[in-house]
Amino acid sequence: MNENYLKPQSILVVDDNEDDYEAIARAFKKVGLSNHVSLCTTGQAALDFLRHEGDFEKGSNADRPVLIMLDLNMPGMDGIQVLQHIRRDPALRQIPVVIWTTSSNEKDVDACYQMGANAYMQKPVIFEDLVESIRRLKEYWFETALLPARGG
Amino acid sequence: MANYYKYDGIQIVRMLLLAAVYYGTSKFGFSLAYVAEQVTVVWPPTGISLAAILLFGWRIWPGIFLGALLTNVTAHEPVITALGIATGNTLEAFSGFWLLRRYAGPGPYLKHVRGVLGLIFFSAAISTMASATIGTISLCLGGVQPWANFDSIWFVWWLGDAGGALIAAPLLLAWGEWPYPALSLRADFEVLTLAAATLATNFVIFIEPSLIGMTRPYPYMIFPVVIWAAISFGQRGVTLITLFLSGVAIWATSHQLGPFADMPIGEALDVLQTFTIVISATGLLMSAAMSERFESEKIESQSRIRLNAVLENIVDGLITIDGKGIIRSYNRACTKIFGYAAEDVIGKNVKMLMPAEHAVNHDTYINNYIKTGRAKIIGIGRELEGLRKDGTTFPMDLSVAEVTSGSGSERLFSGIIRDISERKLAEKKIQDAHQFLQSVIDHIPDPVFMKDRQHRLTGGNKAMWALLGGASEKFIGSDPHTFLKEEEIPLFYAGDDEVFNSNQTTVKEEEFTDHKGERHILSTKKTSFFNEKGEQFLVGAARDITDLKKKETQLLKYTQELKRSNQELDDFAYIASHDLKEPLRGLLTQTSFLLEDYQGKLDMDGVRRLQRLTYLSQRMEKLISDLLYFSRLGRTELAVQETDPNEVVMEVQQMMDTFLKEHQAHITIPQPMPHVTCDKLRIAEVFRNLITNAVKYNDKPERLVEVGYLKGMKRPHSNEKGAFYVKDNGVGIDPEFHEAIFRIFKRLDNPAVKNEEGTGSGLTFVKKIIERHKGHIWLDSEPDKGSVFYFTLGSKDV
C-alpha cells in the first residue's frame, strides 16, 4: 500500500472544456481516486493558483498539487506555455505534469517532452475508454510511482 | 683558234712551211711585177700570212718574217732593204690580225658580216698601208727604186697586199677549218651546175664574149654566179670562184684577152685586181649575211622546237587565233579537252569550240576589241563554256592574251584553256554541302550567328535575322550599332571578348532589346574558332528564354502558392478535425452520463435512441480520426530505410493472426520479394490494409491471399522495373469503381460483406503512402473473379 494514500494529495486539472472536466471528475470517482481535485480553466489561472497569486492569494495555505493534468489547446495561454512557466519556476518545477489533450500531433508530443512533460496522454473520446485511461493513470502515479513529498 | 705558247716541233715545221709558201707565192707575184721588180699587184703572201696568224696564232710570225726576208734578199736588194721590207710585211700581218680581232672579236670572221667588214677595212685596207709605206721607203732608201716612183709603187704595193688579204686569206680561212660538209646528191648536182656556170661565165667574159652574141665583154656578169655561190655554198663557194676568177682574169689579161686587154698591162692588172677585190668583198659579205641568217634561223628553229615541245606537253590547252578568229595553233592538250585533232581545227574559226550563244557574238567581241581596245576577256580571264567535238559542253577557265606575231603587223590572240569540270564539280559539292549546312542552320529555331573580333556579324541563320528584324545583308559586316542598343553594347562586347581571349565555350544569359523595343532574355552559348587564315571568330547559338523565364518565375510563384495552400489545407484539416473532436467528445460523454445517470428513468426506446446517438458519434469520431491521420500522412516525413518486404508481410501476418484465423484466410508468398528502400512502418500499413481488404471482401470458404513481386509489371510510360501485388480470390470490384475506391470514405455497397465498421479510408491511406513513395497503385479486378492490387514504390532498387 502506498503511503501517499495517508495524506490528502491534491490534483490540479487545467482544462478549458467543462465537459472534459466533468468526465475526468466522474472517472476519478469511478476509479476510486478520492484526492482533492482543483480545476483551472485558463493557463493564467493555473499559474496564479500554483503561485498563490491573483484570485488565489487568500488561499495561500492551500497545498500545492502533487500532479498537474494539463490540456494543451486552450484560449489565451496554451498548455505548452503553462508548462514552460512551471518548469522555469524553481518552486513549481518538481511537480509532475501529465499532458492530457485531444491532440495526437507528433509535434505537440515532442514539444511537450522537450519542455519537461512527464507524460503525454490523449483524451479518449468514448467515456468507457476515458475511465480506463484514468484508471491506469491512478495505478501508475498513485500506486506505482512515488510523487514528490509535498507539492511545490 | 689555238694559242701556242711553246714552239714545239709542229709549230717550227709550220713556220718553215709558211716561209716556203710565202717565198713560192711571192715569186709568182713578182712574175707579174710591172711598176718595179720588187712590187706587184698580185701578192698572195699578205693573205697567207694573215690566214696563218688567224689559224695558228701570232707566234707564227717568224715564219712570215723568214719568208719575206728570203723573198726580198733574192730580189736584187740590199740586205738592209730586205730586212725593212720583211719587217713591214710581218708588221702588216700582225696589225691586220690585231685590228681585226679588236674590232670583230675572236671570229670566225667569215661567218659574220662584222668579221668580213673588219677583214675588208682593217686587214685589207688599213694594215696593208704599213707594209706599203715601210716597203716603199725601204726600197727608195736602199736606192733600189727612185723616190720619184714612190706614189705609184706605194699604190701598187698597197693594192697588191689588199688583194692578197681579201682573196688569199678568205680562201685559206674558209677551207682551212675542218670539217668539210658531206655534200648531198642535190648539192652535188648544184656544185656541178655552179662550176659549169663559173666556167661558162669566165669564158664569156675573158675569152669569147661573142659566143653568146655579145660584142663587148661584160665583167659584171660574174656577179650572179658569185651571189649564187654565196647563197648556196657560203664562203667556201665564194672564195673558190674568186680564186678561179682571179686566175682566169690574170691569165686572160696577160694574154691580151678579156675586158682589160685594151689597157697597158700594168694598168690592166690594177683594174683587174680592184675588180676581183670587189667581187670577193661582195661575195664574202653576201655569204656572211647568209651565214648569219642561217645561224639565226637555226637558233630560232631550235627555240621553236623547244617551245613547241613545251606547248604540246603542258596540261592546259593553248590556242592561237588571228584577228578574224581563225585558229592558227592548237596544242595536244586541246585535243584532250575538246576531242578535235589539231588538223580538224587549224584554219577554222574558233567559234566551233564554243556553244552557240557565245559563238554568235565572238566575231563582234574580237572586232570591238580591235576597234576600241576595250577587253572583255583579253588579259583578264574568265570562266566560260566550251563545246566538245561530241557536242557536250563543259566549264573552262579561259585567259586570253594578245601576242605580237613575229612579223609584227598581224594581231594574234593566244588563249589558255583549262577544263575545270572537276573543279566545278568539287565546287558544286562544296556549295551543296554549304547550302545543306546553311539550310540546317536556318532550320534551327534558335538564332545562330558568327562574329569577328570586331563584333561584326559574319553569318547567321533565319532565326537570327528574324530576331534582329531585317535581311541578312543589312547586318552582315555592318557596325554592331545597327543591331545593338548603345547601352547594351559594353555587356555584349565583354561577353564576346571573354570567349575570344579565353578561347573557351561560355553559356551566358544576355539581355537584348530588339528593333521593336521588346526585351529578350537570351541564353547564349559562344565558342571561338580560327579560320584557315588564322583569324578568330566566334559562333553563338542564342536561345530566347524570355517566355521560359517568365514561366519559370510564374511556376515558382505557383509552386510556392500551392505549397502554402497545401500547408494551409493540412493545417486546416488538422485543426478542423481536432477542434471537431472536442464537442464530439462532449456529446459522447454527455450521452454516456445520460445513460448512466438516468438508467431507471429511461424506457427501452429512449435507451435505444441514446445508444444510436453514441454509435453515430463514435462513427463520426472515427471519420475525423481518419481525416486527421490522412492529413498527417501528407505532412510527415518518410523514414526510409532498406526494407525486406518478405519480413514486413510476415510481421503483418503475425499481427493479424487472430483475424486471419477467424476468416480462414491464408497468405502465401510464392517467390521471395526483392528488398526495397521505403518507410517500413508505412509499407507494413499498406500490406495490412490490402490483406485486410482481400480477406474482408471475400465470400469464399477458404480465403486465399497471394503476396509477391512481378518483374516487368509497371504502369505505361513509367520507368519502374516491376510491381508488388496482393492477389485474392474475393468478390472482385467492378471496373467502374476502380478509381472511386481510392477516394476517402468511399465504401462499396457489397451485399456479400456486411461490414459496418469500416470508414472506407484504408485504400485512401494506401494510395497516399504509395504516392508519398512516388509510386503507383492500380488494380486488375472484376466482380466474382477476385482482385489483384499492384503497387510500385518509385524506388530505384526495384
Side-chain angles (χ1 to χ4, degrees), chain A residues 20 26 30 102-105, chain B residues 574 578 585 596-597 632:
Chain A
D20 280 356
R26 193 175 283 228
K30 280 198 177 230
T102 334
S103 167
S104 57
N105 192 339
Chain B
Y574 174 75
H578 197 267
R585 210 168 44 246
E596 204 174 278
D597 295 353
R632 195 188 299 163

Side-chain angles (χ1 to χ4, degrees), chain A residues 17 19-20 22-23 26 30 73 102-106 108 122-127, chain B residues 574 578-579 581-582 584-586 588-590 592-593 596-597 618 621 632 635-636:
Chain A
N17 188 326
D19 283 340
D20 280 356
E22 198 186 342
R26 193 175 283 228
K30 280 198 177 230
N73 201 9
T102 334
S103 167
S104 57
N105 192 339
E106 286 121 351
D108 289 344
Q122 202 183 356
K123 293 178 188 170
V125 177
I126 297 160
F127 182 66
Chain B
Y574 174 75
H578 197 267
D579 289 347
K581 268 192 167 184
E582 217 157 82
L584 190 65
R585 210 168 44 246
L588 268 168
T589 311
Q590 292 303 325
S592 300
F593 292 170
E596 204 174 278
D597 295 353
Q618 280 175 353
E621 199 274 336
R632 195 188 299 163
R635 280 195 321 260
T636 48

Side-chain angles (χ1 to χ4, degrees), chain B residues 539-553:
Chain B
V539 62
R543 172 153 295 181
D544 195 331
I545 53 165
T546 317
D547 288 348
L548 203 72
K549 274 269 165 190
K550 253 187 230 163
K551 280 177 191 160
E552 213 173 73
T553 318

Side-chain angles (χ1 to χ4, degrees), chain B residues 666-671 694 704-708 725-728 788:
Chain B
H666 298 285
I667 300 175
T668 54
I669 305 173
Q671 292 280 325
L704 300 176
V705 183
E706 185 183 315
V707 181
Y725 68 89
V726 176
K727 188 179 171 188
D728 62 53
V788 191

Side-chain angles (χ1 to χ4, degrees), chain B residues 317-342:
Chain B
L318 181 82
I319 294 179
T320 317
I321 60 165
D322 63 18
K324 293 193 177 80
I326 302 303
I327 297 172
R328 292 291 187 83
S329 82
Y330 178 93
N331 73 349
R332 206 176 336 185
C334 285
T335 308
K336 262 192 205 163
I337 294 171
F338 289 101
Y340 288 106

Side-chain angles (χ1 to χ4, degrees), chain B residues 452-504:
Chain B
D452 62 16
R453 278 220 75 141
Q454 284 73 48
H455 312 281
R456 290 179 305 223
L457 288 170
T458 58
N461 68 349
K462 281 184 180 163
M464 183 69 188
W465 312 131
L467 179 72
L468 298 184
S472 59
E473 299 79 33
K474 191 177 156 193
F475 302 109
I476 288 181
S478 64
D479 189 277
H481 286 83
T482 52
F483 54 88
L484 289 178
K485 290 269 173 299
E486 182 68 46
E487 61 274 19
E488 289 173 354
I489 279 184
L491 230 94
F492 275 101
Y493 279 17
D496 293 349
D497 287 338
E498 190 189 330
V499 178
F500 281 132
N501 296 333
S502 70
N503 212 12
Q504 278 173 347

